[in-house]
Each structure stands twice: as C-alpha cells, then as structure tokens.
Amino acid sequence: AVAEATFDGSPCCGSPSTSSESTRCDTTTSTAIRSAGNRGKFKTAARGTSGRGMAWSNMKCCSKGGGAVDVRASLPRGVNGDGTAHVATWRTPKRRFEPAQRHESARKRCVLTLSSASGASADFGSVDQSQSGTGSALNAFWRFLRPHTIRGTLLGTTALVARVLMENPSSIDWTLMPRALIGLLALLCGNGYIVGINQIYDEEIDRVNKPFLPVAAGDLTKAQAWVLVVLLAGGGLAAVLTQFGTLTAKLYTLGLFLGTIYSVPPFRLKRYALPAFLIIAIVRGVLLNFGVYHATREALLLPFRWSPAAAFITLFGTVFATVIAITKDLADVEGDKKFNIGTFATALGVRGVAFLGSGLLLANYMGAIGAAFLAGQGNFRMAVMVGAHALFAALLVKSTVALDKAKYSKESVQEYYRAIWNLFYSEYLIFPFI
C-alpha cells in the first residue's frame, strides 16, 4: 500500500495524488526536517506505534521556487521492529537546497511518499535530530544486534549473577568484577553473532518480512556483516577461553555451533519447524541459564549444585524460549511461504500458533505457581512467585484476547509478540527475589 503524508496538511507543490491510504500530519505530530547546509542532506527520525515495519520509498521536498525535488533515502526503512526511533538520512540528487530553511518552515514544504508493507498508517514523533555518518553506522550496527535479544541476554545474565550472589553473600569478591564484565561482553558477542549470521543468510527473506534490518535495508553490505560476525564470534570465544573454565567454554562453543547450523547452508535448520524451535529453546533456555549460573559459581570458587531457584529458571526459561521460538514467525508467514521456510505459523496458521504459544506460556505460569506450593517452605517467596506469575498470566490472557479481537492483523501480531518479550524481561526482573 502507498500512503502520502503531508506536513501541516498543505504541500507547497500542489496537492498530492489522491489515495485511500492518504495520511495527513498536523503540526504537533509531524516529523521535523532540517537542512544540513548546502550539501543537500535532510535528516529525519520516525517513531511508529502503528507504522512498524514500514518501508519508506522516497521523499519529495519543494525547492524555493516551488518545484518538486526527489529525495532518496540511504536507509528507506521507517522504524525499528520494536517501535523505537530509527534515524534515516535523506539525500537530494546533486541539488543544492536553501540552507536558510529551518525545520519549522521546511516541514511545511515537504511531502513524504511512504510504501507500507503492512498497510498501516504512519505515526510520526516530533523530532529534530541530525546524525552524522558515524551515527548512521552505529545505528545500523545496533539494529544488526537485534536490540530486543540484547535486552533479554543482559537481563537474564544480570538476574542469574545477582541470584548467586544473594544466595552466597560471603563469597562476594569485587575483584572479580572485570571478569564478570568480560563474561557479559562475551555473551553479547555470541548473541550478536547468532542474529548477525542469520541476517546474512536471510537477506532475501528479510526484504519481505523485516525490511528494517540493516542488511536487508542496504545499510550494511554482506561484506561488512561478515566482518562483524567474525569479530563477534572470535572476540567472544577468545574471552571465554581465557577467562573461564573448560565446561563454560564448551557450552559457549555449542551455542555458536547451534546458532550457525540454524542459519547456514547446507544445514539451515531454520527451514524445519521442530529443529528450529529446539535450537532456540536450548540456546536461550538451557545454555544461557545453566551456563551463566555455572560460570558464576565457578568464578566464586563454589562447587556446582542446583538451587531450587536455578533449577526453576532453567526449566521455566526453556519453556519460555520455546514459546518465543514458535511465535517469532507469526508476522513472517508471507516471506516464509515464499521462500519455503517451514514454521509452525505456516503449518498451523497465525491463530493456531498464537493460541498454542499462549497456552504453553499460561501452563508455564501455572507451573511456577504450583512450584511455589510444592517446593517446600523456605525455597521460594510465596508472595512473589504466586503474585507475580498470576499477574503475568493475566497480562498474557489480555494480550491474546486483544490479538483475537484485532483479527490477527500484522500490527496486532507485532504487538502480541512484543508483549511476549516484555513478559520474558519481566521474569528476569523478579527472578532474584523469588
């Protein structure tokens, strides 16, 4: 679908072509545009609550004389998949623009032509932001790392380490802090490698399913992406080999291996629903939780033993990772079918997988509440285990009902998947206190 957005409701170069998808932005919600001197560059930031995943095709701005000037985007990809601000740089085709045009007047003189993959209208935030080439590169790198997975790794690692320290306060040694930070960096490198190698081999699919990703969008070339994944994998592995024991190194290597065969031919196990979700469940469930717990105790010179909390989060996290694995493809059915990628969503349909995922997660929450009663006195804090998981279960039901009422539109599917990740983050936020 093609939509046209007009700043302040009045383009200076005549009326835009009529379209049923036409969207007008008023003064308070329009995106601020600012000229960057005589270099003919425009910089804009967009934030979408309804336009996520939107692909921006081009911008038309009016010159001082009233003629239209096409402005092509180096990154015409709208907003990030998680709805956060995404900064794109727009360039005019070798034509000087009036440097005196400040963003207050310029935004009255520009017409945006948007190409929306979802058909949703744009929701612009009021932004006046300039970004250098370095900033654009950093933005692309950050999106390459898939921020929602980075947050999960950060929260999970921090929560597990905090729990071990809370269980063994007498073993706390602040001289181990540099080693802990190196371990965290290694995990983030491993996370970046796995999602990065996937983007390299999924470039064509992502142009359909996730056009905002930097490789699919053209912000990173494949050569640049390869350099990044090699550095991430090599740096993470070197850190683990030099700072941690043999078992931790083996677990880390196993995670890299599983992430590789998930995406890379001839294996490319992501093509098959069962192996694909098992890999994600093992890496984000078993390896992350058990690996961090083991490495932390090892660093504190404590013998390994399962605590009730550690056993709980490993099992709970594995089931939760399974839910993430089967629901992550809900918004990707179109591209997956086109490229013959077998997922639960393509086999069972969006509604079927959504109810399957919600059912598994609801059972997970009921199991957590049951564990609080069955584990015996002193193993868990009853109020936290029962209260928090009952609340999370209610929020899950609310999100599922909202998805069903919205008839599984692309936007509602993205909201549902975002809610799943927020529940995942929430679990690790309460974990040290269960």
Side-chain angles (χ1 to χ4, degrees):
V2 175
E4 292 196 8
T6 306
F7 291 112
D8 295 337
S10 57
C12 67
C13 307
S15 299
S17 59
T18 58
S19 169
S20 60
E21 300 290 337
S22 182
T23 303
R24 291 186 180 273
C25 305
D26 59 27
T27 305
T28 58
T29 61
S30 61
T31 306
I33 309 295
R34 182 172 61 188
S35 171
N38 289 330
R39 292 174 296 169
K41 293 184 179 179
F42 278 81
K43 303 189 177 186
T44 181
R47 175 179 55 81
T49 56
S50 61
R52 298 180 185 88
M54 184 167 52
W56 297 31
S57 58
N58 62 63
M59 177 192 291
K60 289 185 177 180
C61 286
C62 306
S63 67
K64 191 174 182 180
V69 179
D70 282 341
V71 183
R72 301 296 173 179
S74 61
L75 176 61
R77 296 300 173 187
V79 296
N80 297 330
D82 58 1
T84 56
H86 164 117
V87 178
T89 302
W90 308 82
R91 293 182 174 88
T92 60
K94 297 182 180 179
R95 184 181 296 205
R96 288 176 53 158
F97 230 73
E98 290 296 327
Q101 289 182 354
R102 301 293 297 174
H103 68 276
E104 293 86 0
S105 60
R107 67 183 180 184
K108 296 180 182 179
R109 304 167 64 85
C110 298
V111 178
L112 286 175
T113 302
L114 311 176
S115 172
S116 172
S118 64
S121 62
D123 179 10
F124 299 106
S126 180
V127 180
D128 178 16
Q129 182 174 354
S130 177
Q131 188 178 10
S132 65
T134 301
S136 297
L138 290 175
N139 180 273
F141 176 62
W142 176 240
R143 286 180 291 116
F144 184 70
L145 296 178
R146 304 304 306 276
H148 68 286
T149 65
I150 291 291
R151 286 192 289 270
T153 301
L154 278 170
L155 280 170
T157 302
T158 304
L160 284 157
V161 172
R163 181 71 193 201
V164 174
L165 296 178
M166 291 168 67
E167 290 176 349
N168 305 274
S170 62
S171 298
I172 295 176
D173 182 356
W174 294 109
T175 62
L176 293 173
M177 181 62 72
R179 187 178 177 191
L181 293 175
I182 291 173
L184 176 60
L185 180 61
L187 286 171
L188 296 179
C189 285
N191 191 117
Y193 167 78
I194 291 173
V195 298
I197 198 76
N198 179 254
Q199 290 174 65
I200 290 173
Y201 285 96
D202 273 11
E203 181 183 7
E204 296 299 322
I205 301 175
D206 286 340
R207 286 177 180 170
V208 178
N209 290 339
K210 301 180 181 73
F212 51 84
L213 292 179
V215 176
D219 277 352
L220 288 177
T221 66
K222 277 194 174 181
Q224 291 170 328
W226 270 114
V227 170
L228 288 175
V229 296
V230 169
L231 290 175
L232 288 167
L237 192 58
V240 171
L241 290 172
T242 57
Q243 298 295 320
F244 297 94
T246 303
L247 179 57
T248 301
K250 288 180 178 178
L251 293 173
Y252 189 87
T253 305
L254 176 60
L256 296 182
F257 172 74
L258 292 175
T260 301
I261 63 174
Y262 176 86
S263 298
V264 177
F267 307 101
R268 198 156 166 75
L269 296 182
K270 70 164 292 174
R271 294 175 295 174
Y272 312 106
L274 186 61
F277 98 77
L278 284 174
I279 286 175
I280 295 173
I282 291 171
V283 173
R284 189 159 287 281
V286 178
L287 295 183
L288 175 65
N289 293 292
F290 168 70
V292 172
Y293 181 74
H294 167 79
T296 305
R297 292 190 65 90
E298 179 185 60
L300 295 174
L301 303 179
L302 295 171
F304 179 81
R305 70 172 182 83
W306 284 108
S307 69
F312 163 76
I313 197 61
T314 300
L315 178 59
F316 185 95
T318 301
V319 175
F320 209 132
T322 300
V323 173
I324 289 175
I326 64 176
T327 58
K328 75 178 183 65
D329 300 312
L330 288 175
D332 298 342
V333 173
E334 179 186 357
D336 289 341
K337 284 183 177 180
K338 181 178 179 179
F339 291 93
N340 297 315
I341 302 296
T343 67
F344 285 100
T346 58
L348 304 177
V350 173
R351 187 175 190 272
V353 171
F355 273 86
L356 175 61
S358 292
L360 282 174
L361 190 50
L362 188 60
N364 211 22
Y365 286 135
M366 296 302 103
I369 293 172
F373 288 101
L374 298 175
Q377 194 170 12
N379 288 313
F380 295 108
R381 292 187 175 94
M382 187 71 67
V384 177
M385 280 288 281
V386 176
H389 290 108
L391 174 62
F392 296 161
L395 293 173
L396 171 65
V397 171
K398 179 182 178 182
S399 295
T400 307
V401 171
L403 176 64
D404 193 58
K405 286 184 176 179
K407 304 300 182 184
Y408 303 90
S409 66
K410 188 160 187 174
E411 180 181 287
S412 65
V413 167
Q414 291 168 340
E415 288 289 348
Y416 171 77
Y417 187 58
R418 187 173 296 105
I420 295 294
W421 270 99
N422 287 336
L423 289 170
F424 183 78
Y425 303 148
S426 299
E427 188 64 34
Y428 283 107
L429 287 174
I430 69 163
F431 173 67
F433 311 105
I434 64 171

